Amino acid sequence: MILPSCSSDDDIQIVDSFDASINLKATYNGQPLVIGNTYTYENDLPIFFTQLKFYLSNIVLIQEDGQQVELAEVEVVNFTNVNGNEAMASQGLDLGFSSIPEGEYVAIEFGVGVAPDLNNTEPSDYSSSHPLGETADYWSAWDSYIFTKIEGKADPSQNGSFDLGFVYHIGSDQFYRSIKLSQAISISTENQDLPSIEIDFYKLLARSSTDFMDIETNSAVHNELDLMSYVMDNFENAVALQ
Amino acid sequence: MSKSSFFKAIFFSVLIGISACMDDEMQPPVLASGTDLTAISYTPQDYDLQIPAGFPQMEIPSDNPLTVDGVQLGHFLFFDPILSADSTMSCASCHLPEAGFTDNQAVSTGVAGIAGKRSSMSLLNIGFFNKGLFWDGRVATLEEQALLPIEDPIELHEDWPNVVSKFQNSPFYQEWFRKAFGIENSDEITKELAVKAIAQYERTLISANSKFDKIFYQNDPSVIIEDDEYNGYIMFFDDAYAGAFVEAECGHCHNMPLFTTNDYFNNGIDSVSTYEDFADVGLGAVTGAQLDIGKFRAPSLRNIEFTAPYMHDGRFETLEEVMDHYNSGGHNFINTDPLIKEIGLSEVQKQDIIAFLKMLSDTTYLSNPHFQNPF
């Protein structure tokens, strides 16, 4: 595709554009995270995940002069059904974008959650195939989309029973977080590679061996504002370029 | 007239000419199929589907838009026992309007007298269910779904060629398939068109006029929520930041406005030690994933008051039994949903939640002829 572009002296330039995708992988302590596989959490707590899902908003590429090129207004990232085994988890999932103008970029930026302007809308404003059209991901009591759902089970007695479920649902404007990842990105005829991004779900729950979400004490986070903030703040450390 | 219709017309003209020379006893049987339908008016009009406030937009396949006559044909087909082997049962036999489009049986029994293994699901608002149909999600669309019960030996136990033949030989259905789909000849009636019509009708089975709707979505000031209903609402949706309320965690799987997320869960009703112990593997048979064994679709709780018994196998006869199950935490297994845990509701609190559930009852559709047997 060819896009017109205005230069500083208002001459119209013709700029090629390309389709490209970002690869996202869920990991746990650096290893591909498989839904249902057991991992060791702090305090030697065996855990496994059953649902890993979050929204990304305002995904943009940033040029050296600070100008932004929007890739997508909002996307939902759902590892729940695509991380069923080691191979699938290693492959991750791709978010595809179209019509990215040729150019040199220095960073990619996005928000985790649903940006406040979009969070004023509701699923009834969209078709069910739209990322914001999913009624399961809107919580009316908050007047907000559920920015992230992290669910799983833990086995405090370490006897294989996994009788403790943990459910972390977080939403509302105050928990929207922006993340900027700096990296030279070139979009051209020869190269349409966007960065690959890892999200480490251990780091989403734990900052260190002494500073972590106590799953046994806080197995459900739904209205606990400090814990909701704790997890959302952790996204910045949990997200990394591959 | 199409080319095929033209040749059929010539063929039957010759046939009639020959038969005129025969004795009555020698005449071939009258062939109702192959009837030219072009004299019947075909003027398709868009069906004005009203999406209730707060509801998501309905995904309608581009090759099956709703028309007034398509919906009407589907209405006839849905209630017509012509679809069954012995003409005793229709879709409506297991999806009765007065039972919230269920049959109030633990499991349904087909024309051959064979009981199935699952309970009839409500069809109200089914046009909004977008993550698979049946309890195990084995089909994606209403069109696909409607193909299956006809030939299922534990349901209507008929075969499609026979059903299609009945339609093709019925002047009534010749006319309605013509009106609905513009076919030019009765031979063009197919099972694919029949299920399209049924799906069109099913997409119109919308129920959204409950007390909850009037308060929450319609802002009707004349409708007042009672204390027990409000308390139940608070606990259902975990909206209690403080105080004496208990988070019952219901809304996570039965979120508004549909009161289902359309997702699949093991809700801990089976006491199992291994995956092999599940009497019905549910979603696991569809996906092949071990973690999906024993999972079933969360049904909508709209009109739940009318759709007893409950669960995929109808094991609970009352809402009290359902509340007792969830309050107990059910049976833990590896893939029991993380939200299934002992809740700690008092007897009063359980009744509060049931009071809230009854706010989801909408009886107004029962007086609407569109939801009733048209024959």
Side-chain angles (χ1 to χ4, degrees):
Chain A
M1 181 185 276
I2 300 203
L3 292 177
S5 169
C6 295
S7 64
S8 57
D9 59 4
D10 286 343
D11 290 338
I12 291 183
Q13 296 180 329
I14 301 300
V15 177
D16 283 344
S17 69
F18 301 92
D19 297 344
S21 59
I22 294 175
N23 180 260
L24 295 127
K25 290 186 178 67
T27 60
Y28 187 89
N29 262 335
Q31 300 303 308
L33 191 162
V34 179
I35 295 291
N37 277 13
T38 302
Y39 300 96
T40 303
Y41 190 61
E42 293 301 330
N43 291 337
D44 294 325
L45 180 67
I47 64 170
F48 67 82
F49 294 91
T50 58
Q51 181 160 207
L52 302 170
K53 190 176 187 181
F54 56 87
Y55 278 103
L56 296 179
S57 298
N58 295 336
I59 309 171
V60 298
L61 291 177
I62 301 176
Q63 297 172 337
E64 195 159 22
D65 61 4
Q67 286 195 65
Q68 297 184 349
V69 171
E70 183 180 83
L71 300 182
E73 189 175 40
V74 64
E75 294 283 352
V76 63
V77 178
N78 188 356
F79 291 111
T80 308
N81 294 322
V82 299
N83 279 38
N85 57 47
E86 200 82 32
M88 295 165 76
S90 298
Q91 191 174 340
L93 61 82
D94 292 330
L95 290 182
F97 309 103
S98 58
S99 305
I100 306 171
E102 178 179 27
E104 301 299 321
Y105 302 92
V106 297
I108 184 167
E109 188 172 333
F110 50 83
V112 180
V114 177
D117 56 334
L118 293 172
N119 205 28
N120 277 331
T121 63
E122 296 182 3
S124 58
D125 297 321
Y126 307 93
S127 70
S128 60
S129 58
H130 188 280
L132 299 179
E134 173 58 85
T135 58
D137 293 333
Y138 187 84
W139 200 248
S140 293
W142 297 338
D143 288 328
S144 170
Y145 284 89
I146 303 171
F147 292 176
T148 185
K149 287 182 175 179
I150 302 166
E151 298 183 8
K153 298 187 79 173
D155 190 13
S157 54
Q158 301 199 21
N159 62 2
S161 63
F162 285 92
D163 53 3
L164 176 66
F166 60 90
V167 177
Y168 303 143
H169 289 185
I170 302 165
S172 295
D173 289 351
Q174 61 183 308
F175 301 118
Y176 182 71
R177 298 289 184 270
S178 290
I179 293 174
K180 183 177 179 180
L181 299 170
S182 296
Q183 176 175 300
I185 302 164
S186 180
I187 298 294
S188 65
T189 306
E190 295 76 29
N191 186 21
Q192 296 111 43
D193 293 332
L194 289 173
S196 293
I197 297 173
E198 281 186 2
I199 303 96
D200 194 309
F201 283 82
Y202 166 76
K203 292 180 179 175
L204 216 49
L205 301 179
R207 295 175 184 171
S208 71
S209 58
T210 56
D211 181 4
F212 56 88
M213 173 79 76
D214 187 336
I215 290 176
E216 291 185 64
T217 307
N218 302 298
S219 61
V221 172
H222 186 74
N223 291 322
E224 296 74 10
L225 304 185
D226 54 338
L227 296 175
M228 295 164 88
S229 185
Y230 181 87
V231 172
M232 294 307 288
D233 288 344
N234 287 350
F235 261 101
E236 184 161 18
N237 191 41
V239 171
L241 294 168
Q242 213 174 10
Chain B
M1 182 184 291
S2 68
K3 188 183 286 183
S4 64
S5 300
F6 175 73
F7 285 117
K8 281 173 187 163
I10 291 178
F11 171 75
F12 284 110
S13 298
V14 172
L15 202 63
I16 290 166
I18 292 172
S19 66
C21 301
M22 296 177 177
D23 293 336
D24 285 347
E25 292 173 358
M26 293 180 66
Q27 288 183 4
V30 175
L31 300 176
S33 62
T35 303
D36 183 354
L37 305 175
T38 53
I40 300 169
S41 169
Y42 172 56
T43 53
Q45 288 181 291
D46 291 344
Y47 185 91
D48 184 18
L49 189 69
Q50 297 291 322
I51 303 298
F55 271 45
Q57 296 166 23
M58 190 184 291
E59 298 277 351
I60 296 174
S62 59
D63 66 347
N64 193 23
L66 272 61
T67 64
V68 172
D69 289 330
V71 170
Q72 182 62 66
L73 171 60
H75 192 177
F76 289 133
L77 293 174
F78 186 87
F79 284 90
D80 196 337
I82 195 174
L83 270 65
S84 63
D86 59 1
S87 296
T88 60
M89 293 186 71
S90 67
C91 306
S93 299
C94 297
H95 299 285
L96 300 154
E98 61 271 26
F101 283 85
T102 71
D103 63 0
N104 288 147
Q105 303 296 313
V107 295
S108 300
T109 303
V111 295
I114 307 170
K117 62 179 181 179
R118 293 177 186 162
S119 187
S120 168
M121 299 194 83
S122 174
L123 302 185
L124 291 170
N125 301 319
I126 197 164
F128 299 100
F129 297 171
N130 58 355
K131 297 178 185 171
L133 300 167
F134 293 115
W135 283 101
D136 57 12
R138 64 185 182 274
V139 298
T141 67
L142 284 169
E143 287 78 1
E144 291 175 67
Q145 189 279 331
L147 281 171
L148 300 184
I150 307 295
E151 297 193 323
D152 193 326
I154 62 172
E155 296 189 59
L156 302 180
H157 202 195
E158 178 58 289
D159 64 76
W160 268 111
N162 204 34
V163 173
V164 169
S165 177
K166 294 180 204 175
F167 295 150
Q168 291 177 341
N169 287 289
S170 160
F172 178 79
Y173 280 117
Q174 289 171 0
E175 177 184 349
W176 277 101
F177 272 94
R178 162 69 179 169
K179 287 180 172 177
F181 297 110
I183 58 172
E184 296 182 342
N185 188 283
S186 60
D187 278 354
E188 296 169 39
I189 296 175
T190 62
K191 64 179 180 182
E192 286 77 16
L193 292 181
V195 298
K196 278 187 173 183
I198 293 171
Q200 285 190 39
Y201 175 64
E202 289 177 322
R203 291 192 174 99
T204 68
L205 298 178
I206 295 174
S207 166
N209 200 25
S210 66
K211 182 174 183 180
F212 176 82
D213 292 302
K214 288 172 182 166
I215 293 173
F216 200 86
Y217 291 119
Q218 299 170 17
N219 299 314
D220 184 342
S222 68
V223 183
I224 306 298
I225 190 167
E226 304 295 336
D227 286 347
D228 56 349
E229 295 168 337
Y230 180 74
N231 293 344
Y233 163 81
I234 291 292
M235 291 183 284
F236 187 97
F237 282 114
D238 301 353
D239 204 13
Y241 288 85
F245 293 119
V246 175
E247 292 188 350
E249 316 285 5
C250 315
H252 300 287
C253 306
H254 298 284
N255 200 3
M256 66 173 83
L258 300 174
F259 285 86
T260 173
T261 60
N262 289 318
D263 289 317
Y264 298 79
F265 304 94
N266 170 6
N267 61 351
I269 56 175
D270 285 322
S271 175
V272 295
S273 301
T274 70
Y275 283 109
E276 287 73 32
D277 293 340
F278 282 99
D280 187 343
V281 296
L283 179 65
V286 178
T287 66
Q290 191 177 56
L291 276 174
D292 290 337
I293 290 175
K295 290 184 179 179
F296 296 90
R297 189 153 68 82
S300 171
L301 300 188
R302 285 180 173 274
N303 300 294
I304 195 74
E305 182 180 4
F306 310 125
T307 62
Y310 306 108
M311 306 294 151
H312 68 276
D313 53 6
R315 70 179 64 191
F316 297 139
E317 292 185 2
T318 65
L319 289 173
E320 282 76 10
E321 287 179 50
V322 174
M323 289 307 305
D324 285 341
H325 160 67
Y326 285 119
N327 200 35
S328 74
H331 302 286
N332 180 63
F333 184 60
I334 294 290
N335 71 345
T336 303
D337 194 82
L339 283 159
I340 301 296
K341 60 185 180 184
E342 190 173 338
I343 300 173
L345 296 166
S346 68
E347 289 302 318
V348 171
Q349 288 171 326
K350 282 190 281 187
Q351 287 302 320
D352 287 346
I353 291 177
I354 290 172
F356 171 68
L357 291 174
K358 290 181 178 178
M359 286 184 74
L360 305 177
S361 298
D362 167 18
T363 57
T364 57
Y365 72 86
L366 285 174
S367 57
N368 183 345
H370 183 70
F371 291 78
Q372 305 302 319
N373 190 333
F375 296 111

